[in-house]
């Protein structure tokens, strides 16, 4: 059924009205969603998927760029911090040598401080080596666990 209405601007609009199963009027607009085909819907879905992937890639690239910039800045500040820490520790060592010199002599004070620093170096080097060996063992176990699990299953 074709119905003519007048818009507020005084123009005549023609709309086709239909009724649904309950007799209520349903507005049918030519070229509306009912005229879309399945191929159009799939095309729109693919286009939306491409747009989503492009947006996600752009977001991840910007995140990576931000992280890289912050890592570089953080590493630079850490290097400056370590330089100041090194200077402070040198000052402490020199101060302790000067403080011990009147008590035990300059050479003995230097030997005491050198020995303390070597012992500290050995302790922290040993701790670092243990950590590195744990990492190595974890990767060795991960590689061997695949082979070992297969062999264990066949033997059982």
């Amino acid at each position: 059924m074709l119905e003519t209405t007048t818009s507020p601007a005084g123009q005549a609009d023609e709309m086709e009205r239909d009724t649904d199963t309950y007799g209520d009027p349903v507005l049918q607009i030519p070229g509306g969603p009912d005229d879309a085909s399945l191929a159009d819907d799939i095309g729109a879905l693919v286009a939306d998927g491409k747009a989503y992937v492009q947006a996600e890639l752009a977001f991840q690239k910007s995140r990576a760029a931000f992280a890289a910039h912050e890592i570089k800045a953080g590493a630079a500040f850490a290097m400056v911090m370590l330089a100041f820490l090194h200077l402070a520790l040198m000052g402490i060592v020199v101060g302790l040598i000067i403080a011990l010199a009147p008590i035990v002599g300059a050479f003995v004070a230097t030997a005491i401080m050198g020995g303390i620093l070597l012992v500290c170096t050995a302790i922290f080097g040993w701790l670092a080596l243990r950590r590195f060996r744990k990492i190595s063992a974890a990767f060795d176990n991960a590689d061997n666990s695949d082979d070992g699990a297969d062999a264990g299953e066949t033997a059982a």
Side-chain angles (χ1 to χ4, degrees):
M1 176 172 157
L2 194 60
E3 182 177 315
T4 304
T5 60
T6 306
S7 68
Q11 298 172 345
D13 294 331
E14 290 186 0
M15 294 182 285
E16 189 174 325
R17 277 192 195 266
D18 230 352
T19 56
D20 61 5
T21 55
Y22 300 109
D24 295 330
V26 176
L27 182 62
Q28 295 292 325
I29 301 171
D34 292 337
D35 291 344
S37 68
L38 181 59
D40 292 339
D41 289 343
I42 291 174
L45 179 64
V46 168
D48 288 347
K50 286 180 182 178
Y52 173 75
V53 168
Q54 289 172 349
E56 186 66 24
L57 284 174
F59 172 68
Q60 294 301 335
K61 283 181 183 178
S62 68
R63 243 174 78 166
F66 171 76
H69 174 70
E70 293 300 317
I71 287 171
K72 284 193 286 188
F77 288 132
M79 294 301 289
V80 172
M81 181 267 315
L82 289 174
F84 282 119
L85 177 65
H86 182 258
L87 292 172
L89 290 175
M90 284 177 38
I92 291 171
V93 169
V94 169
L96 287 173
I97 290 173
I98 292 171
L100 288 174
I103 300 170
V104 292
F107 291 115
V108 176
T110 303
I112 290 172
M113 289 309 302
I116 291 172
L117 290 174
L118 287 175
V119 168
C120 289
T121 301
I123 290 171
F124 284 106
W126 177 71
L127 290 172
L129 185 62
R130 279 186 42 196
R131 296 296 176 128
F132 294 140
R133 285 185 179 160
K134 282 183 182 180
I135 293 170
S136 178
F139 283 106
D140 287 343
N141 288 340
D143 292 339
N144 294 337
S145 67
D146 295 336
D147 299 334
D150 294 340
E153 289 174 5
T154 57

